[in-house]
Amino acid sequence: MKQQANLIRAGQVIEHDGRRWTVLKQQIITPGKGGAFIQVEMRDLNTGNKTNERWRTADSVERLMTEDKDYTYSYMDGDNVVLMDPETFEQLILPQDIFGDQFAFLQDNMPLNVKLVEGDPVGVELPPHVTLEITEADPVVKGQTASSSYKPAVLSNGVKTMVPPFIEAGERIVVRTDDASYVERAKD
């Protein structure tokens, strides 16, 4: 299905130069002189290579329709992630790199949304938030009471994040899976 380039969004799958690409990031740029264009960072579905492409906003791009299917994370098998269809109990084996930076947030029995193009998996969506424990947190600097001050901390999965000064090591917090940012204290 053809669509204008300025309608490209992260997560979409497009066909360009005879290959399938998944869109990672997009940004519309309006220079001071000349027409606006869209800068797109995308990954080749077959090779995993990343590239940047620019289109004028009026150009058209071939968008592939994706089908969403729910799976549950089961276990790791070498560099592959094994998922299970909760309805049919069939297994789906995906390479670890299809998850990108979100791989660190995978947890046992986590529900996932797999995007398929003509039956082939092209992307995976994790739940927007996960609850993790803080393993390391810097001590609070005395007198630092500004509400916008954050301190570095390390989560139980090894990912570094910034947390408010009142969060201590050993506490459980909720973080976003897309950028590892702090949301709130865990309520459990």
Side-chain angles (χ1 to χ4, degrees):
M1 165 177 95
K2 292 272 187 195
Q3 76 173 20
Q4 278 191 309
N6 64 341
L7 299 175
I8 294 175
R9 297 290 175 258
Q12 291 181 346
V13 179
I14 60 173
E15 191 167 319
H16 177 64
D17 289 340
R19 300 203 308 248
R20 293 178 178 169
W21 303 84
T22 183
V23 176
L24 304 174
K25 296 179 190 169
Q26 93 286 348
Q27 179 181 11
I28 294 182
I29 299 170
T30 358
K33 187 176 182 183
F37 59 89
I38 184 165
Q39 172 91 22
V40 178
E41 182 181 327
M42 52 192 189
R43 178 185 291 127
D44 188 324
L45 294 176
N46 295 334
T47 64
N49 296 337
K50 287 184 183 177
T51 188
N52 285 316
E53 193 70 40
R54 287 182 175 186
W55 286 283
R56 290 189 318 264
T57 53
D59 289 348
S60 62
V61 178
E62 184 67 31
R63 178 180 172 196
L64 301 173
M65 296 309 295
T66 57
E67 171 193 350
D68 291 355
K69 191 153 175 41
D70 293 327
Y71 283 89
T72 304
Y73 170 65
S74 291
Y75 61 93
M76 288 295 299
D77 183 18
D79 285 341
N80 294 323
V81 178
V82 180
L83 306 178
M84 182 185 69
D85 185 332
E87 295 170 6
T88 64
F89 302 108
E90 291 179 14
Q91 291 186 339
L92 175 67
I93 299 173
L94 298 176
Q96 175 180 328
D97 57 345
I98 199 169
F99 290 86
D101 295 338
Q102 292 187 329
F103 175 75
F105 295 104
L106 265 182
Q107 296 176 342
D108 289 342
N109 299 319
M110 177 182 272
L112 304 170
N113 184 298
V114 177
K115 297 198 175 302
L116 305 165
V117 172
E118 297 171 8
D120 296 330
V122 295
V124 180
E125 269 184 24
L126 272 67
H129 303 107
V130 292
T131 303
L132 294 167
E133 187 175 326
I134 299 284
T135 55
E136 293 176 34
D138 287 358
V140 178
V141 177
K142 212 167 179 73
Q144 188 176 11
T145 57
S147 61
S148 63
S149 64
Y150 278 68
K151 64 182 184 179
V154 179
L155 301 169
S156 56
N157 62 356
V159 175
K160 293 180 179 161
T161 188
M162 299 295 282
V163 297
F166 57 83
I167 300 292
E168 302 293 328
E171 287 190 60
R172 292 173 49 82
I173 64 168
V174 177
V175 294
R176 286 190 178 89
T177 54
D178 57 352
D179 62 0
S181 61
Y182 170 83
V183 177
E184 63 183 359
R185 273 186 171 149
K187 294 183 174 46
D188 54 19

